[in-house]
């Protein structure tokens, strides 16, 4: 069997640090959804960066944070599981947000992992040099790091360097995934997540956290080059349902249009998207329902 540099790298950090955006940029394709809302990521997602001499599996995780509900607990559990068996772990720290207790909380968990830790300062495109220096200094106090890299997922700054540093940490081994595979997320999950991203980006306050998306139907009409998708957006209260539908249905229409454009890119065909909004009271406190949506470790 051909041996290459191969292994697993986890990206951890507090919510909103830029982990998912960085994973997408490193992979060179949209595999993870991103938004300004903390706790956007609800899945531990693996994506594959395949080269002739290496195969790196990057693991995006939900942000680690002090949990407030069953969903938060499940997300933390999922992020911590990701650390249990990786060849390297990147602690992502936002260059623009002072290092604080949130980062210390994540670092404390990382310290218990056997994997070598890397400090990755994110969002360099929107921070000046002095701020970045100060961030690095503060971060160094959290944990002994093997390497430090300052990156920007948006401008692409230092992404090749980060990949190079990580590759050096991987042992020799087989390719764990087929060479053309980009992610281990099932297509149904990706579709539901792409829809949820658009809802997150369109809503504020408590609404984004109360949203869960489930696929009802997925049919491919190969002859017509068309995918028919029916999905349900679940919220916890009637008032949230009203917000997502919007006055005269403008909000749900906007979400539908934006999601359709993304899904057409993902699937490489036209998409007919049918979205409905339903109330499922307090689903975030219901561990069984959280699993049914597939969040955290899923079913
Ligand atoms: N300017 C800038 N913004 C970024 C960068 N990386 C992420 N962001 C933004 O930061 C927010 C959180 O990003 P996301 O990847 O969802 O964070 P996560 O919660 O750690 O996965 C989003 O609004 C991103 O667009 C970056 O390199 N530069
Ligand atoms: Mg994320």
């Amino acid at each position: 069997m051909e041996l290459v540099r191969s292994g697993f790298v986890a990206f951890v950090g507090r919510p909103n640090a830029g982990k998912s955006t960085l994973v997408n940029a490193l992979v060179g394709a949209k595999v993870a959804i991103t938004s300004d809302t903390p706790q956007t990521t609800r899945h531990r997602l693996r994506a594959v960066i395949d080269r002739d001499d290496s195969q790196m599996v990057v693991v995006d995780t939900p942000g680690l944070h002090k949990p407030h509900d069953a969903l938060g607990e499940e997300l933390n559990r999922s992020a911590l599981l990701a650390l249990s068996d990786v060849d390297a772990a990147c602690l992502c720290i936002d260059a623009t947000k002072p290092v604080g207790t949130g980062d210390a909380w994540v670092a404390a968990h990382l310290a218990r992992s056997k994997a070598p830790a890397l400090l990755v300062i994110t969002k360099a495109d929107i921070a000046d040099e002095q701020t970045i220096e100060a961030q690095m200094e503060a971060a160094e106090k959290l944990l002994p790091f093997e390497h430090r890299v300052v990156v920007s997922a948006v401008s692409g700054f230092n992404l090749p360097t980060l990949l190079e540093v990580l590759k050096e940490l991987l042992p020799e081994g087989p390719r764990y995934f087929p060479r053309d595979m980009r992610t281990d997320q099932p297509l149904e999950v990706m579709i539901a997540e792409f829809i949820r991203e658009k809802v997150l980006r369109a809503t504020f306050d408590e609404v984004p956290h109360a949203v869960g998306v489930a696929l009802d139907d997925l049919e491919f009409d190969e002859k017509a080059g068309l995918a028919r998708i029916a999905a349900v957006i679940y919220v916890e209260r009637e008032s949230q349902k009203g917000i997502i539908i919007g006055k005269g249905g403008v909000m749900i229409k906007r979400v539908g249009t934006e999601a359709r454009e993304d899904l057409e890119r993902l699937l490489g065909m036209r998409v007919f998207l049918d979205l409905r909004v339903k109330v499922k009271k307090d689903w975030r406190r219901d561990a069984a329902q959280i699993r049914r949506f597939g969040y955290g470790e899923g079913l």
Side-chain angles (χ1 to χ4, degrees):
M1 196 198 330
E2 183 208 8
L3 291 183
V4 293
R5 292 266 181 168
S6 72
F8 294 78
V9 176
F11 288 79
V12 295
R14 68 196 227 200
N16 238 354
K19 301 174 291 294
S20 298
T21 309
L22 182 56
V23 164
N24 284 340
L26 292 173
V27 173
K30 176 168 170 170
V31 288
I33 64 166
T34 64
S35 89
D36 276 337
T37 308
Q39 289 186 55
T40 295
T41 305
R42 289 179 179 166
H43 294 271
R44 183 155 53 101
L45 170 160
R46 297 194 287 195
V48 183
I49 303 171
D50 190 277
R51 301 275 190 271
D52 284 340
D53 63 348
S54 66
Q55 189 181 70
M56 190 186 305
V57 183
V58 292
V59 189
D60 184 20
T61 63
L64 282 161
H65 60 283
K66 289 209 174 94
H68 302 298
D69 51 24
L71 177 60
E73 274 167 32
E74 182 65 22
L75 297 186
N76 271 345
R77 205 168 72 80
S78 176
L80 291 173
L81 259 173
L83 281 176
S84 62
D85 197 19
V86 287
D87 300 293
C90 295
L91 175 60
C92 297
I93 292 194
D94 188 331
T96 67
K97 302 256 166 64
V99 173
T101 52
D103 301 291
W105 160 272
V106 181
H109 286 289
L110 191 49
R112 281 187 241 147
S113 154
K114 291 188 298 276
L118 277 81
L119 171 62
V120 177
I121 304 278
T122 60
K123 312 189 190 181
D125 58 297
I126 47 170
D128 58 42
E129 241 169 78
Q130 240 176 336
T131 314
I132 292 173
E133 277 294 316
Q135 287 294 89
M136 292 193 93
E137 217 167 283
E140 291 290 349
K141 298 199 180 95
L142 298 175
L143 200 70
F145 294 105
E146 296 232 348
H147 296 278
R148 303 118 188 100
V149 187
V150 179
V151 301
S152 164
V154 167
S155 76
F157 175 67
N158 259 347
L159 298 185
T161 311
L162 178 57
L163 284 176
E164 204 48 46
V165 170
L166 288 171
K167 196 173 90 183
E168 292 301 315
L169 293 171
L170 301 182
E172 280 212 323
R175 291 181 203 272
Y176 294 104
F177 291 100
R179 294 203 63 176
D180 59 357
M181 186 168 157
R182 284 289 72 78
T183 171
D184 68 342
Q185 280 202 115
L187 191 58
E188 287 79 1
V189 173
M190 274 188 107
I191 292 171
E193 286 292 90
F194 275 37
I195 295 167
R196 192 165 60 84
E197 178 189 71
K198 301 312 172 196
V199 182
L200 295 185
R201 291 184 177 196
T203 54
F204 303 98
D205 298 329
E206 247 312 277
V207 179
H209 298 290
V211 171
V213 176
L215 228 54
D216 237 8
D217 196 26
L218 171 64
E219 274 172 57
F220 292 106
D221 182 342
E222 300 287 351
K223 237 194 253 153
L226 180 75
R228 288 175 207 281
I229 300 170
V232 181
I233 299 169
Y234 287 99
V235 287
E236 294 190 313
R237 322 205 176 293
E238 282 299 328
S239 59
Q240 293 162 342
K241 179 174 169 178
I243 291 171
I244 288 184
I245 290 171
K247 237 193 192 146
V250 285
M251 186 68 107
I252 190 74
K253 208 164 162 194
R254 178 175 142 203
V255 166
T257 305
E258 288 178 2
R260 185 166 46 75
E261 285 168 6
D262 250 27
L263 292 170
E264 288 185 340
R265 236 184 323 259
L266 174 72
L267 300 172
M269 59 173 74
R270 282 186 304 130
V271 165
F272 178 81
L273 181 59
D274 173 30
L275 289 180
R276 273 168 307 143
V277 187
K278 288 186 187 171
V279 177
K280 195 161 246 165
K281 211 166 163 289
D282 293 329
W283 69 260
R284 275 181 294 171
R285 286 194 222 144
D286 178 352
Q289 182 55 45
I290 292 165
R291 299 279 172 93
R292 236 172 278 136
F293 277 129
Y295 302 145
E297 290 305 297
L299 287 168

